[in-house]
Amino acid sequence: MKLVLGRDDLATAAESAVRATGTPVERLAVRPVHKASRGFVNESAVDVCELAVVTLLQAVAHGLPVLLLPVTPLGRHQHQTLVTLGALTAGDVGGRSVGVRSWSQTTGVWVRGFLTEEYGVDPRAVDWRTYEDAHVEGAKDPDWVTRAPEGARLQADFLDGRLDFGIMGNELPDDDRIRTAIPDAQAAAAAWAARKGFVPVNHVVGVTEAAAREHSAAVLAAYDAMAAVPGPADLSPVGFAALRGPVGQAAAYALEQEVLPRAVGFDELVERSCAALGVPPSRLGG
């Protein structure tokens, strides 16, 4: 069994648990972890893989044999990732240019959802610029989204003033001119989480359908081991019940934004995983 997990604590726990079942296991050191996503969803190149939640949802919507294993390697607030260089704020996004690495990037999906819910922004009234394809083969940007010219880079376009706003998480440049476009972003994020009852989920764990069926005991052992790794409950929810809110919200935002070609309900994710693993939902927390 091949696995890719960005967090060493989760990877160590999962690898040890799988090995204890007698199943051969190999951890692949892919850094950054998102570079493994394309091979995982399109080619089943690995068996268990950390990936962005929207990539998993998009893979399911396109009929790929990818299942949710309800573990969260990365949850985080996202309001601070909408940035600008000038005096503009989130209320000024309508009619302005906004760059995002990929239309399917999970951070972008969350931020566009916030803009619509909290600031009344119509996504179709924004000049969106994207720079990369989705990880899922065949997924396309909506026709109201513009692809930046070949060779263009989000960070350079933003810093040189060719974009009014940028949505950037880990790729945020180090520049003193940059500021968050949402005033008191951390407070706004905390208030949003309090209203919703959860913090946005960024990465989850996926498993191929073949691995779930052929190595169910090993996959369940990996789940149990990862679930036992300590971490803040709000940032690393585990189990179907804990993930229903954030994953369901991400799926709703993604559908509204034409990231998904069809609705993907959370119950569909639960049913697919449980059918392949041969267990009831309660076995996976919910």
Side-chain angles (χ1 to χ4, degrees), residues 85 99 101 131-132 152-163 166-175 177-178:
L85 296 177
R101 178 174 57 79
Y131 292 77
E132 296 179 12
R153 295 182 66 249
L154 169 59
Q155 292 88 343
D157 282 353
F158 175 71
L159 292 175
D160 292 345
R162 290 185 288 274
L163 295 167
I167 298 175
M168 287 178 274
N170 295 336
E171 65 270 76
L172 184 69
D174 183 12
D175 192 302
R177 297 174 296 163
I178 298 172

Side-chain angles (χ1 to χ4, degrees), residues 269-280:
L269 301 178
V270 173
E271 290 165 6
R272 285 165 47 89
S273 297
C274 291
L277 289 166
V279 296

